[in-house]
Structure formats: C-alpha cells, structure tokens
Amino acid sequence: SAYEGMPMCVLEALGCGVPVVTTRVGEVARVVHDGVSGYIVGDRSAESFADAAERALAALPAMTGEASVTAASDYVPARVLEPVFDNYRRIASHGRQQSRHMKEGEA
C-alpha cells in the first residue's frame, strides 16, 4: 500500500503469528521489525518484495508465533479501547454526580 495509517491486515497477520512483508507506510514500523516480525521493503519493486519474502520464509520458525503476536499486542481491541471506555465511565460518573446534586438541591 502507498497510503495507510495502520493497516488492519498487518495487525491481523501479526496477531495470528504470521510475519509480514510490507512497504514503509503509515505506522507499520511500530509493529514490523526487520528479522523479528517481518520485513519492511525500501522500495515497491517486485524484486524487493521477493527478496524480503524469501528472507521471511527462511527465518519463518523464528518469526512465526510469539514474536509476531507480541509485535501487535498493543493493538488488541481491549488495549486500544480501554482509554475510550475509561473516558465514557468518567463522563457517566460526572453526569450521575451532577444529577444527584440537582436532586438534592430540589429537596
């Protein structure tokens, strides 16, 4: 891809324990580490992709599994959404407190 933020297909592959060969696009460098969870190619040529794919296949036992899963672990739904849920809980709690104060003022 030439234009992406954090491609879901990269996170999904890594989350399944599969290393990734990708271009340097968006935030992929946060999760794809050369020789650990895949390879990032410098240019978009077929030769670069083929070379990186061959290196990934040769190193597959080391990159498959835990190394790839760990690379994507910060992007699991529970971790990504926790700050959103915390904010909703804070807002809901604040709303309940204001409502309680209003009722007490009416009494």
Side-chain angles (χ1 to χ4, degrees):
S1 177
Y3 308 100
E4 297 251 5
M6 176 60 85
M8 284 303 298
C9 60
V10 168
L11 295 175
E12 290 167 346
L14 292 171
C16 291
V18 177
V20 172
V21 174
T22 181
T23 58
R24 183 170 301 284
V25 63
E27 299 294 318
V28 297
R30 295 177 117 187
V31 293
V32 179
H33 306 286
D34 282 351
V36 177
S37 56
Y39 291 99
I40 298 175
V41 297
D43 63 72
R44 291 179 172 81
S45 70
E47 293 80 17
S48 292
F49 273 101
D51 178 58
E54 285 177 2
R55 286 184 286 144
L57 289 171
L60 203 54
M63 288 195 292
T64 302
E66 192 62 32
S68 293
V69 171
T70 299
S73 65
D74 286 339
Y75 296 90
V76 295
R79 243 187 224 168
V80 172
L81 294 174
E82 189 59 34
V84 174
F85 295 148
D86 285 345
N87 197 36
Y88 282 141
R89 285 189 281 271
R90 185 180 55 75
I91 291 168
S93 174
H94 182 68
R96 284 191 298 271
Q97 288 173 359
Q98 283 190 336
S99 178
R100 190 175 325 123
H101 291 300
M102 289 176 66
K103 287 180 183 178
E104 289 172 357
E106 293 174 358

